[in-house]
């Protein structure tokens, strides 16, 4: 009995510890060397980005299997899952496979890392430290933080996430289903159709609607990717997928 209670409390402690994790580890904020701090930032977030992309690829593989196998498409459980994915990505017709495959696709790590660095001020923003919000997501719900310089007539809040995993998944879903990022999805599809790797450097230049500074924002992302050699994370991601035979 004592052993069972001990394991129970250890499990509870671990669960609560992860649930309450906010922002980067404390030692990150104590790093003085800018190069070391930048590398830590990218290396720390990269696994979360990989995991979010792999979850997307699982759904993408399922969609492809449904498209190619009519026998599968008649099974109730498979149909239910297809409907759930379509609903998640705001697609009215769950059998519209071209639209599904256009939306259910990865976000290249280099672009995600660049935007995380820019939007979070290298993890130093209040939104990261208090709400795990890496990408400046807004919300009009009841749960959120009031921006310090919000317009008096505005009602939006900055969204609070329980973890970086949630923040990154929400960011990718936003790019994959919101009308403002249609060009991003189209350009990604064109890269696939021409048998090219999905490049973060190329796709970062479709993010003109992500920021009010428009063209300047694109230049900032481009510089961020090139100066920090973030394309190496794209290469690493694809190489690992190839090793795992998980590439699509």
């Amino acid at each position: 009995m004592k052993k069972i209670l001990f394991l129970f409390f250890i499990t509870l402690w671990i669960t609560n510890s992860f649930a309450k994790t906010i922002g980067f580890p404390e030692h990150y904020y104590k790093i003085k060397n800018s190069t070391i701090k930048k590398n830590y930032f990218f290396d720390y977030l990269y696994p979360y980005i990989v995991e979010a992309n792999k979850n997307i690829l699982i759904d993408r593989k399922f969609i492809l299997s449904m498209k190619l196998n009519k026998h599968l498409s008649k099974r109730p459980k498979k149909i239910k899952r297809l409907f759930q994915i379509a609903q998640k990505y705001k697609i009215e017709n769950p059998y519209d496979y071209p639209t599904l495959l256009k939306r259910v696709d990865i976000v290249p790590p280099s672009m995600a890392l660049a935007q995380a660095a820019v939007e979070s001020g290298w993890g130093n923003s209040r939104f990261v430290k208090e709400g795990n919000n890496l990408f400046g997501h807004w919300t009009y719900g009841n749960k959120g933080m009031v921006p310090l310089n919000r317009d008096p007539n505005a009602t939006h809040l900055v969204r609070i996430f329980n973890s970086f995993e949630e923040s990154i998944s929400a960011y990718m879903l936003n790019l994959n289903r919101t009308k403002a990022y249609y060009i991003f999805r189209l350009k990604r599809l064109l890269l696939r159709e021409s048998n090219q790797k999905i490049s973060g450097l190329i796709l970062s230049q479709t993010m003109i609607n992500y920021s009010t500074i428009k063209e300047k924002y694109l230049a900032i992302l481009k510089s961020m990717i090139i100066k920090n050699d973030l394309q190496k994370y794209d290469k690493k991601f694809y190489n690992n997928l190839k090793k795992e035979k998980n590439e699509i």
Side-chain angles (χ1 to χ4, degrees):
M1 178 61 73
K2 288 182 178 180
K3 186 177 181 181
I4 294 173
L5 286 172
F6 174 78
L7 291 173
F8 170 78
F9 284 115
I10 286 294
T11 302
L12 185 64
W13 177 79
I14 291 173
T15 302
N16 288 335
S17 295
F18 279 105
K20 294 177 181 178
T21 300
I22 301 291
F24 287 85
E26 287 185 19
H27 59 264
Y28 166 74
Y29 296 105
K30 296 177 182 179
I31 298 173
K32 301 298 181 184
N33 184 288
S34 61
T35 300
I36 294 175
K37 191 167 187 175
K38 287 180 180 180
N39 288 334
Y40 185 104
F41 180 93
F42 295 132
D43 289 340
Y44 188 85
L45 291 182
Y46 174 72
Y48 293 125
I49 292 168
V50 169
E51 189 63 25
N53 273 325
K54 284 186 175 181
N55 288 335
I56 291 172
L57 287 177
I58 289 171
D59 283 343
R60 184 176 174 84
K61 279 185 176 181
F62 170 75
I63 294 165
L64 283 168
S65 70
M66 291 289 282
K67 177 184 177 183
L68 299 173
N69 192 328
K70 292 183 179 179
H71 178 67
L72 287 178
S73 66
K74 295 179 181 179
R75 296 181 182 178
K77 288 185 178 180
K78 301 291 185 182
I79 294 172
K80 181 180 179 181
R81 183 179 173 189
L82 187 66
F83 271 70
Q84 289 172 337
I85 294 172
Q87 185 178 38
K88 178 179 179 180
Y89 285 85
K90 295 184 177 179
I91 298 170
E92 291 186 9
N93 179 6
Y95 297 104
D96 182 357
Y97 293 117
T99 300
L100 277 167
L101 292 170
K102 189 175 180 180
R103 293 193 182 188
V104 185
D105 207 344
I106 66 166
V107 174
S110 62
M111 189 180 95
L113 289 169
Q115 288 197 272
V118 172
E119 297 297 330
S120 73
W122 297 99
N124 292 307
S125 75
R126 179 171 68 96
F127 305 142
V128 170
K129 292 180 177 180
E130 296 180 17
N132 287 319
N133 193 324
L134 289 163
F135 300 95
H137 278 124
W138 287 8
T139 180
Y140 289 90
N142 296 321
K143 183 181 178 182
M145 293 174 279
V146 179
L148 296 178
N149 299 315
R150 187 179 70 175
D151 186 284
N153 297 319
T155 59
H156 71 274
L157 300 172
V158 175
R159 192 171 168 185
I160 294 173
F161 295 98
N162 291 321
S163 64
F164 280 165
E165 291 96 327
E166 280 190 11
S167 180
I168 291 169
S169 294
Y171 155 77
M172 291 186 177
L173 185 60
N174 184 34
L175 297 189
N176 279 333
R177 72 180 186 184
T178 305
K179 186 178 180 180
Y181 308 113
Y182 171 80
I183 299 300
F184 161 76
R185 298 189 292 273
L186 177 61
K187 186 66 177 178
R188 182 176 60 188
L189 177 63
L190 292 175
L191 288 173
R192 276 201 177 277
E193 289 180 341
S194 59
N195 294 317
Q196 296 183 59
K197 298 295 184 185
I198 298 176
S199 164
L201 183 60
I202 292 173
L203 293 183
S204 70
Q205 299 308 291
T206 67
M207 291 290 104
I208 196 162
N209 291 325
Y210 204 96
S211 172
T212 56
I213 58 176
K214 300 291 183 178
E215 287 81 4
K216 186 178 178 180
Y217 186 69
L218 303 185
I220 291 171
L221 291 181
K222 183 177 181 179
S223 176
M224 178 72 72
I225 292 172
I226 293 174
K227 287 185 177 180
N228 294 286
D229 189 24
L230 297 186
Q231 293 175 94
K232 68 184 179 184
Y233 290 99
D234 289 349
K235 293 177 183 177
K236 182 179 178 180
F237 176 68
Y238 284 117
N239 286 338
N240 287 338
L241 284 182
K242 192 172 183 179
K243 290 177 183 177
E244 297 168 7
K245 297 181 179 180
N246 191 33
E247 193 170 14
I248 296 182

